[in-house]
Amino acid sequence: MDLKELAANALAQNKKAALLVGAAGAALLGFGLGYKYMRKPEKAVRVGVVSQILIHPLKSGKAVPVSVAECQKMGLKSGELEDRHWLVVTEEGNMVTARQEPRLVLVSLSCRGGHAYLNGPDMEELKFPVKQLDNPIHNCRVFSKGIQGRDCGDKASHWLTSYFGDEKTFRLVHFEPDMKPRRPAESEPLFPKFEQVAYPDYGPVMLLSEASVKDLSSKLDQEVTTERFRPSIVIGDCEPFDEDSWEEIQIGSVRLQRVMACGRCIMTTIDPETGMMSRKEPLETLKSYRLCKPSEKHLYKKAPLFGQLHTVKKTGILHVGDEVYKITR
């Protein structure tokens, strides 16, 4: 083969390579442009404003209103207070809520300076360290699902047992960061499999609007307050039940994703001011107009729906007064 033929072959090979590279580049460019135009841009529409932020450190205990909170993957946090990270249990480790002991709604747990404080009607304040690493870890159950909790000591146990005035012994446990969380998906398949919580019933964040509570109150002989329904975030400046249609919302830097409605139970009949359970209202009224669609009965059964359960897509800081935006695409 002479020099002329070699040069011709080399030129042909270079042209082929160039064509292949060009075709691959064009394909990638086309894919990128296609993805860009297939992926619809987000649109944010203002739907309300944060009117209350409520942390419930003790499951079924009194709410702690705060003006600022961290919205973490497992729920709200303010200082040393983390939402539903303390739990009352029996000696066997079974959870105790206001369903069994309605006066639990009057018990408050607060934290400052590395100590927790228990308060309740006609009881002396009890102070104990938040971290008690020498105390045993109990295997507990929340809705029959296993989870651990660090025992908060005999003094806390005596305080609770005395408060309830029951023959049974009660203990207080605390969920610590290195403990294995629960997975809501094990009980509610609509939740993502990777989602984790400590002692909440299911979701890390429950959202409710003031207008929905006012709508319910207008149908009752006696008004009810948002605290009765134990939300994490209360939204103002919207219409009743607008929150039902907010699939994804942005509050400041926080992004929340709706998973399902909150099915209501006998706990809604406990007055948060007196600890008395009526076993009737407002649950019966809710059942008269807030039942699910027939196609959703496998999820909610006969429970009326009031409020929405969310997961945290993006963590951040929440403030009372933050505007709330519905995200659409």
Side-chain angles (χ1 to χ4, degrees):
M1 185 180 292
D2 59 21
L3 288 175
K4 190 180 289 186
E5 288 180 358
L6 285 171
N9 286 337
L11 182 61
Q13 291 295 325
N14 285 339
K15 282 184 178 179
K16 186 176 180 181
L19 286 170
L20 287 171
V21 170
L28 286 171
L29 180 62
F31 177 80
L33 289 171
Y35 178 78
K36 178 182 177 182
Y37 289 107
M38 285 172 62
R39 187 175 181 272
K40 296 179 181 179
E42 289 185 351
K43 182 180 178 182
V45 179
R46 185 188 181 280
V47 290
V49 63
V50 176
S51 61
Q52 282 182 286
I53 300 172
L54 301 170
I55 294 180
H56 300 81
L58 174 62
K59 185 174 179 66
S60 278
K62 207 173 183 67
V64 179
V66 297
S67 58
V68 183
E70 297 177 55
C71 190
Q72 302 182 333
K73 285 288 186 181
M74 288 177 61
L76 301 186
K77 183 178 186 293
S78 178
E80 297 173 82
L81 290 180
E82 294 184 82
D83 194 77
R84 278 110 171 163
H85 270 53
W86 280 264
L87 175 71
V88 178
V89 295
T90 63
E91 284 189 295
E92 296 76 28
N94 294 317
M95 74 168 183
V96 177
T97 71
R99 298 171 184 86
Q100 298 84 35
E101 298 289 345
R103 292 178 66 244
L104 185 51
V105 300
L106 304 178
V107 176
S108 66
L109 188 149
S110 58
C111 292
R112 56 186 181 275
H115 285 83
Y117 297 82
L118 276 177
N119 280 281
D122 304 317
M123 297 290 292
E124 287 188 15
E125 181 178 77
L126 178 70
K127 173 184 175 182
F128 58 92
V130 172
K131 294 182 179 179
Q132 301 188 65
L133 300 182
D134 293 333
N135 287 1
I137 294 175
H138 297 300
N139 293 317
C140 308
R141 283 167 297 282
V142 174
F143 294 112
S144 301
K145 302 300 179 183
I147 188 168
Q148 293 180 319
R150 175 83 67 180
D151 194 282
C152 293
D154 289 340
K155 288 184 179 179
S157 175
H158 294 154
W159 192 97
L160 288 166
T161 302
S162 174
Y163 175 72
F164 293 126
D166 205 318
E167 294 180 358
K168 294 181 290 186
T169 297
F170 298 91
R171 302 203 72 85
L172 182 67
V173 297
H174 178 219
F175 184 83
E176 297 176 346
D178 58 346
M179 292 178 177
K180 184 180 178 181
R182 286 166 47 244
R183 292 186 181 273
E186 293 178 359
S187 302
E188 290 293 347
L190 288 182
F191 277 89
K193 290 182 179 179
F194 56 81
E195 199 65 34
Q196 297 179 330
V197 292
Y199 303 136
D201 283 7
Y202 299 112
V205 173
M206 202 279 277
L207 185 142
L208 182 64
S209 73
E210 289 179 343
S212 297
V213 178
K214 288 179 181 176
D215 182 87
L216 174 60
S217 287
S218 71
K219 296 171 172 57
L220 299 169
D221 293 334
Q222 188 173 350
E223 289 187 356
V224 291
T225 61
T226 54
E227 285 78 7
R228 182 179 290 249
F229 306 99
R230 314 183 68 75
S232 312
I233 305 170
V234 182
I235 307 299
D237 196 22
C238 66
E239 294 300 312
F241 308 111
D242 274 0
E243 65 270 28
D244 295 357
S245 65
W246 303 339
E247 294 299 320
E248 191 172 345
I249 59 173
Q250 183 87 25
I251 308 173
S253 61
V254 174
R255 182 70 66 96
L256 301 177
Q257 178 70 55
R258 178 188 174 276
V259 177
M260 62 188 297
C262 186
R264 294 303 178 164
C265 69
I266 198 73
M267 271 196 65
T268 58
T269 71
I270 303 171
D271 188 331
E273 298 299 321
T274 66
M276 299 293 290
M277 180 189 283
S278 73
R279 294 188 172 274
K280 187 177 179 182
E281 293 294 2
L283 192 59
E284 292 302 314
T285 297
L286 279 173
K287 286 179 179 179
S288 72
Y289 79 119
R290 288 293 298 169
L291 292 178
C292 68
K293 301 173 185 175
S295 61
E296 296 177 326
K297 279 192 175 180
H298 66 289
L299 290 173
Y300 304 111
K301 299 179 176 61
K302 295 181 180 180
L305 311 181
F306 202 64
Q308 300 294 325
L309 297 172
H310 289 252
T311 57
V312 182
K313 286 187 71 174
K314 186 179 179 184
T315 61
I317 306 297
L318 296 172
H319 301 81
V320 170
D322 279 349
E323 293 188 320
V324 182
Y325 293 90
K326 178 174 73 171
I327 304 300
T328 59
R329 290 180 178 86

